[in-house]
């Protein structure tokens, strides 16, 4: 999706007035490449002219593609915390078979490469002013912005209760598997619940099916969530939006990001 959030407000005359200069394309250095799962790779990029971002936001990344007259851009959420430093940003890229951009980023990018990026963008954000408890619902690479929120809360010692529901194909496909285990052991305010859709009975997962109404209802009850964030494939996001509101959550407190 070639998303461009507009960083604009309306002036008294009704004209569009730019609050801050729009982000521009810049060449970032790839300083780390980490294989997370068979299909997902972490890229760490040093940003030459960094802008402070908020957890949950994304950058656009564009690359040249054979046969295309112009570079092709895609949106990628930031996985790293903006605090204490935001000059290095981390992305979690899942290879989408047959895709134009993600296979190159996830499988062909190396340390020392340069990537064109522009951002940050997006209103799918959380800061301590919004409070909690939070229910974070994700499938696959939808967990990426939640890593930024969790890492940010840890870095700032916020102790706002967060319950992450994370759907993966199987234990092998859990992005940030070790880090999530360590964070959950370290942080009494963090709970991680896994569901595996293609690995029945694996002990790491509490559920072994796709995210559904019963699952969300159980976790909403247990977490006492006042705010919910949902991120991942559009069908999952739409289902959870409806379910959360049906369960009594104020629609104003349900934030969603669709990776379409
Ligand atoms: C705000 C936002 C944040 C995002 N953050 C992340 C993130 O953190 N991590 C992440 O991995 N992704 C993220 N995404 C998704 C990402 O932007 C891309 O959509 C994804 O990487 C696929 O891009 P692609 O170029 O590889 O695939 P595309 O070229 O867009 O293709 C997508 C799929 O469609 C199929 N396809 C393409 N053309 C056709 C056709 N003509 N007929 C049939 N099928 C076709 C391809 O085979 C492929 O499976 C985010 C999306 C949004 C909107």
């Amino acid at each position: 999706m070639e998303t461009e959030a507009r960083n604009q407000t309306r002036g008294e005359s009704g004209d569009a007035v730019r609050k801050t200069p729009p982000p521009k394309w810049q060449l970032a250095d790839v300083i780390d490449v980490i294989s997370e799962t068979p299909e997902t790779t972490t890229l760490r990029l040093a940003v030459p002219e960094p802008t402070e971002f908020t957890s949950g936001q994304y950058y656009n990344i564009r690359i040249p593609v054979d046969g295309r007259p112009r570079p092709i851009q895609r949106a990628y959420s930031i996985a790293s915390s903006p605090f204490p430093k935001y000059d290095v940003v981390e992305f979690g890229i899942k290879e989408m078979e047959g895709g134009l951009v993600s296979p190159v980023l996830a499988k062909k990018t190396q340390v020392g490469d340069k990537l064109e990026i522009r951002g940050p963008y997006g209103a799918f954000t959380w800061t301590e002013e919004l409070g909690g408890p939070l229910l974070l619902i994700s499938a696959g690479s939808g967990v990426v912005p939640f890593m930024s929120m969790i890492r940010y809360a840890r870095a700032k010692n916020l102790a706002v209760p967060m319950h992450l529901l994370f759907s993966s194909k199987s234990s092998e496909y859990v992005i940030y598997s070790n880090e999530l285990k360590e964070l959950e052991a370290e942080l009494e305010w963090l709970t991680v619940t896994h569901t595996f859709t293609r690995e029945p009975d694996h002990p790491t997962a509490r559920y072994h099916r796709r995210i559904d109404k019963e699952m969300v209802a159980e976790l909403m009850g247990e977490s006492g969530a006042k705010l919910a964030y949902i991120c991942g494939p559009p069908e999952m996001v739409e289902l959870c939006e409806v379910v959360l509101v049906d369960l009594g959550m104020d629609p104003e407190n349900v934030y969603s990001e669709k990776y379409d």
Side-chain angles (χ1 to χ4, degrees):
M1 180 175 167
E2 304 187 10
T3 337
E4 289 287 313
R6 281 182 200 281
N7 193 5
Q8 292 185 345
T9 57
R10 298 255 151 213
E12 274 171 27
S13 64
D15 295 330
V17 176
R18 287 197 186 283
K19 243 171 122 182
T20 49
K24 56 182 185 179
W25 288 106
Q26 45 182 320
L27 265 186
D29 289 300
V30 178
I31 58 169
D32 232 337
V33 177
I34 302 160
S35 172
E36 299 283 352
T37 73
E39 58 188 15
T40 304
T41 302
T42 283
L43 297 181
R44 241 176 237 138
L45 271 57
V47 184
E49 291 181 49
T51 306
E52 190 163 9
F53 66 90
T54 307
S55 286
Q57 287 193 297
Y58 66 91
Y59 270 82
N60 287 323
I61 304 181
R62 71 177 183 189
I63 59 167
V65 171
D66 282 347
R68 295 297 185 106
R70 279 182 292 280
I72 305 292
Q73 73 178 46
R74 298 285 184 259
Y76 292 100
S77 301
I78 305 164
S80 44
S81 165
F83 178 84
K85 280 160 68 71
Y86 51 85
D87 55 342
V88 170
V89 288
E90 186 182 310
F91 299 98
I93 319 268
K94 177 181 165 190
E95 176 185 26
M96 201 169 273
E97 224 176 288
L100 287 176
V101 175
S102 63
V104 176
L105 296 178
K107 299 290 171 173
K108 301 214 166 112
T109 303
Q110 298 177 343
V111 172
D113 288 351
K114 287 187 184 290
L115 285 174
E116 269 198 296
I117 68 169
R118 185 163 69 175
Y121 295 110
F124 180 72
T125 55
W126 180 81
T127 58
E128 54 272 44
E129 287 77 36
L130 289 172
L134 301 178
L135 179 58
L136 310 171
I137 305 177
S138 59
S141 57
V143 74
V144 171
F146 299 149
M147 278 315 279
S148 177
M149 294 177 193
I150 294 166
R151 287 165 166 171
Y152 171 77
R154 177 178 181 268
K156 283 205 131 182
N157 258 320
L158 295 175
V160 174
M162 295 188 179
H163 193 132
L164 172 68
L165 169 60
F166 186 9
S167 174
S168 307
K169 279 188 257 189
S170 68
S171 49
E172 200 192 358
Y173 287 85
V174 177
I175 309 168
Y176 312 120
S177 171
N178 288 337
E179 187 177 347
L180 281 172
K181 244 183 253 161
E182 287 166 14
L183 286 170
E184 201 186 8
E186 176 196 328
L187 305 167
E188 50 90 23
W189 48 265
L190 178 68
T191 307
V192 182
T193 297
H194 292 281
T195 184
F196 294 161
T197 55
R198 299 189 202 165
E199 191 174 19
D201 303 326
H202 192 282
T204 301
R206 171 165 163 188
Y207 301 104
H208 300 87
R209 58 183 202 262
R210 285 177 161 224
I211 292 172
D212 59 22
K213 182 168 186 167
E214 291 67 36
M215 206 183 280
V216 173
E218 276 176 15
L219 300 188
M220 191 170 142
E222 286 172 23
S223 63
K226 298 276 181 295
L227 297 178
Y229 286 72
I230 318 158
C231 185
E235 322 80 66
M236 184 282 281
V237 171
E238 282 158 21
L239 172 97
C240 292
E241 283 171 343
V242 172
V243 164
L244 286 162
V245 174
D246 278 356
L247 290 167
M249 193 169 274
D250 182 345
E252 293 282 308
N253 290 341
V254 178
Y255 298 79
S256 52
E257 186 92 286
K258 294 177 192 170
Y259 283 3
D260 44 8

